[in-house]
Amino acid sequence: MTTHSKIRCSLRRFGLVGGIAIAAVFAGPTSAHKDPVKQEQLKIYQEVFMEEVRKGDLLFHGDQKMAEQLGVADDLSKTGMACAMCHPMASDTHPQSFPKFQAQIAKFATLRDMINWCIEKPNQGVKIDPESEAMKALEAYITWSNTGSVLQPGKF
Amino acid sequence: MSDELDRIRREMHSVLQPEGARPDDSLKITRRTFIHGSLLFGAATVSQAFAWWPLLNTLDIAHAAETPFKFAWISDTHLYPRSLNTRFVDKVVRAAQEVQAMDPPADFLIFGGDLAQLGKIEELELGVDLLKEVKIPKHYIPGEHDWYLDMGKKWGELFGQPNWTFDHKGVRFIGLDTVSRGPDYWTAKNMTPEERMGHMATLDGTVAGPWAGVGRDQLDWMEKTLADWDKQRPVVIFSHNPLYEYYPPWNFWVRDWREVHEVLKPYAKVTNIHGHVHQVLYNEIGTLRSIGMLATSWPWPYAPEGLPKLTKPMIRVDPGDPYDGVGWSKIDVAANDQLETEYIMWGRKEVFVQSPEDHDKHVSEVIRPRIADNMWPF
């Protein structure tokens, strides 16, 4: 094989792999690639999201059953306090300001870092896994509740 | 503030207040007058937050007290059983000790509601026990957290009638019950008392609805109670909820506030001191002046809209310090016809915001109600 044909071959391979990757990014799961987006799909995506929002809402408001279901019942609070007691409607959580330097933690922090700080300090609980469904649900609820707020990353 | 709420307030003002009149035309502005924040930081950034405010730290209101006296206010202790939460207990102990140590002593203490968190007998009795440290006369009004487990049964056994009145050194004091007349959201759903209490105890819940109100019967009682009182003499009304519309989704109002103002309209010197909001608040509508008090338990952020323009906001607090943003209040009724309210906010020399960054609303915020507890319509 000549040098020329080797290059053509690699370009063809790149084109194929890159195309799939781009299609995956824009079209979602590979099973749906290249198909136009359908309303039913969007509905399903939204339902998946809203189910996490619902779970997060319950966790945020101290719902014991949901905390047990997600395996964090012993962790979120040991004082009776729930997130919503200081943050009705998730106000004053400012998810739109993260990531930022968080003074209380004295480090550059994400919303998940701050959620864990609140669990540990005001609630006197135990940090939860930042990759856990409980954390993602809390994040989903907090960000959903602040829908419409303007992004101000880094703002104190 | 929404245009609609702004319109309603202006309409009430025009109905209740003659042009140019203030709630009390002998309001004394002292040397502690706050330098208007907009002059310091620019009106465009936080113009609503830095609206006109007469005083720094204190309010002076002309009252015709026969002799000077002080009284104290504690509210929103939200006690859990001692075994679950000791921080809330510690803060009540501190407030009670500080009230008892006032020199000269206060004539009486007002407890402004939400002694308990979930209305349990154990929680209410713990509160009574902790407040035994205060030896001066004590007067209690209920909060919703005290009431909806047993519909006020234990509260009544401990403290008696939830609304009351007494005269003290030339001032008529009235305690109102603004919590017990909530619409029945529990019977149709066969809720247990604990479930009923749980919904009531969730400030941003959607189930308990607009529960805060005075009620026609109590309005009639208040009208009758004031009938023999000179309309130029001072009246101080204590209530758990504010007696105007600030933010109904959190029951930062009483739903019949218009009727309340109709009853109070003839009286020139009316001051309402209220709890429930866990934040510094000040408002004037017609001839009624309203002052919101701190909780001892935890502070609340200002609501997303409706903050009275006359409120100079309290400072943004440190969530890592359980003693920040909370406390109690001293009210001083002086011989030179002043009623002065002082917020005792633990851990802070400055109660009010000093810069835009000190305000909890300095970051843009649009928030929406929760969804997971929706259960209406039937």
Side-chain angles (χ1 to χ4, degrees):
Chain A
M1 192 184 281
T2 64
T3 311
H4 249 82
S5 63
K6 268 186 188 168
I7 291 169
R8 267 203 303 275
C9 192
S10 343
L11 282 175
R12 271 202 300 271
R13 195 176 302 129
F14 172 79
L16 182 64
V17 173
I20 290 173
I22 291 165
V25 167
F26 285 103
T30 48
S31 60
H33 79 281
K34 293 181 181 170
D35 290 332
V37 176
K38 294 188 176 74
Q39 285 301 319
E40 303 87 78
Q41 284 177 303
L42 296 182
K43 190 165 174 286
I44 291 166
Y45 300 161
Q46 183 65 13
E47 281 170 2
V48 169
F49 171 67
M50 287 310 294
E51 177 58 10
E52 294 307 317
V53 169
R54 192 187 68 82
K55 288 178 180 175
D57 180 335
L58 290 169
L59 290 179
F60 198 81
H61 288 80
D63 186 271
Q64 197 61 16
K65 274 186 197 160
M66 182 51 65
E68 281 166 15
Q69 186 184 319
L70 297 184
V72 291
D74 295 331
D75 301 332
L76 291 182
S77 176
K78 294 194 188 299
T79 58
M81 294 289 285
C83 315
M85 285 166 68
C86 294
H87 299 282
M89 293 183 189
S91 61
D92 219 19
T93 52
H94 303 148
Q96 72 276 24
S97 69
F98 287 95
K100 65 178 169 186
F101 180 80
Q102 186 67 45
Q104 286 83 10
I105 314 176
K107 72 168 190 179
F108 182 65
T110 63
L111 177 62
R112 294 184 188 188
D113 291 328
M114 192 60 198
I115 291 170
N116 260 335
W117 182 89
C118 278
I119 290 170
E120 269 199 314
K121 304 295 179 186
N123 286 5
Q124 296 180 282
V126 181
K127 271 186 185 177
I128 61 173
D129 178 359
E131 295 299 319
S132 61
E133 187 184 1
M135 178 62 88
K136 290 177 185 173
L138 283 167
E139 186 181 61
Y141 172 67
I142 292 167
T143 49
W144 171 84
S145 194
N146 282 266
T147 301
S149 299
V150 177
L151 277 176
Q152 292 176 295
K155 187 157 175 76
F156 171 70
Chain B
M1 192 188 309
S2 71
D3 292 345
E4 175 61 9
L5 184 53
D6 197 33
R7 190 191 62 74
I8 291 169
R9 283 203 187 142
R10 285 173 192 277
E11 186 185 318
M12 289 301 290
H13 249 301
S14 66
V15 170
L16 294 168
Q17 185 172 298
E19 193 180 345
R22 296 286 308 282
D24 187 335
D25 57 8
S26 48
L27 174 76
K28 185 175 171 61
I29 298 179
T30 74
R31 285 171 58 82
R32 288 160 294 187
T33 301
F34 179 70
I35 299 169
H36 198 296
S38 62
L39 300 177
L40 294 176
F41 307 113
T45 49
V46 279
S47 56
Q48 180 171 328
F50 285 110
W52 177 84
W53 177 255
L55 300 171
L56 178 65
N57 285 319
T58 60
L59 286 169
D60 296 321
I61 302 165
H63 275 340
E66 288 161 4
T67 52
F69 66 98
K70 294 171 185 291
F71 65 94
W73 166 285
I74 300 175
S75 72
D76 298 279
T77 53
H78 291 269
L79 289 162
Y80 283 108
R82 193 193 289 266
S83 56
L84 178 59
N85 189 315
T86 54
R87 280 182 182 168
F88 289 178
V89 172
D90 293 344
K91 290 190 273 189
V92 180
V93 168
R94 180 168 175 178
Q97 285 172 347
E98 289 175 359
V99 168
Q100 186 56 30
M102 281 171 68
D103 184 22
D107 282 12
F108 54 86
L109 169 73
I110 302 295
F111 189 88
D114 284 352
L115 183 60
Q117 169 63 9
L118 295 172
K120 293 179 181 172
I121 290 174
E122 185 184 359
E123 296 169 348
L124 290 166
E125 288 182 341
L126 173 61
V128 170
D129 199 36
L130 297 173
L131 289 171
K132 280 182 184 161
E133 170 73 18
V134 180
K135 311 295 184 197
I136 53 177
K138 286 166 277 195
H139 303 278
Y140 293 77
I141 52 172
E144 76 279 12
H145 287 254
D146 303 321
W147 201 266
Y148 281 83
L149 184 66
D150 63 3
M151 303 309 289
K153 184 169 177 289
K154 182 65 185 176
W155 195 94
E157 287 168 17
L158 289 170
F159 308 118
Q161 184 68 19
N163 58 327
W164 38 258
T165 181
F166 64 87
D167 298 343
H168 188 77
K169 297 179 180 174
V171 180
R172 178 151 292 183
F173 291 94
I174 293 176
L176 288 180
D177 159 19
T178 56
V179 302
S180 73
R181 291 165 178 79
D184 181 352
Y185 56 88
W186 51 90
T187 305
K189 289 285 179 185
N190 292 319
M191 287 183 195
T192 64
E194 289 76 17
E195 287 170 334
R196 177 176 60 207
M197 183 71 245
H199 287 295
M200 181 57 71
T202 307
L203 184 80
D204 60 350
T206 66
V207 177
W211 51 262
V214 176
R216 190 66 250 173
D217 58 322
Q218 197 175 202
L219 284 165
D220 292 344
W221 170 83
M222 185 163 70
E223 197 164 13
K224 201 173 148 195
T225 299
L226 285 170
D228 66 346
W229 193 245
D230 185 329
K231 292 178 175 54
Q232 296 305 312
R233 299 188 77 185
V235 179
V236 177
I237 299 177
F238 303 111
S239 57
H240 185 63
N241 302 75
L243 299 178
Y244 62 95
E245 180 175 333
Y246 166 12
Y247 193 61
W250 298 350
N251 278 282
F252 285 8
W253 75 337
V254 286
R255 58 182 185 269
D256 44 4
W257 62 278
R258 290 169 182 80
E259 288 85 345
V260 172
H261 286 253
E262 283 300 324
V263 171
L264 297 176
K265 188 179 170 182
Y267 299 90
K269 298 177 178 175
V270 189
T271 303
N272 171 224
I273 299 179
H274 66 84
H276 184 61
V277 294
H278 300 206
Q279 60 193 224
V280 168
L281 269 183
Y282 181 78
N283 198 20
E284 296 173 1
I285 293 183
T287 53
L288 175 65
R289 176 190 308 280
S290 298
I291 308 170
M293 293 300 185
L294 300 173
T296 63
S297 52
W298 70 84
W300 264 324
Y302 286 108
E305 63 173 30
L307 179 63
K309 289 181 177 174
L310 292 176
T311 290
K312 170 145 176 54
M314 67 188 241
I315 202 155
R316 185 183 180 190
V317 304
D318 174 4
D321 178 1
Y323 287 91
D324 197 13
V326 293
W328 57 287
S329 294
K330 277 182 202 173
I331 300 95
D332 196 334
V333 185
N336 59 348
D337 291 355
Q338 293 176 29
L339 187 147
E340 179 174 300
T341 301
E342 183 180 0
Y343 293 107
I344 312 294
M345 188 188 281
W346 295 316
R348 286 278 178 184
K349 285 180 188 162
E350 301 293 349
V351 172
F352 301 109
V353 293
Q354 302 299 306
S355 71
E357 290 75 21
D358 285 335
H359 189 18
D360 73 20
K361 291 285 175 279
H362 83 289
V363 179
S364 78
E365 182 179 69
V366 178
I367 54 173
R368 47 165 65 166
R370 63 180 307 212
I371 48 156
D373 68 342
N374 285 349
M375 57 169 66
W376 308 108
F378 294 110

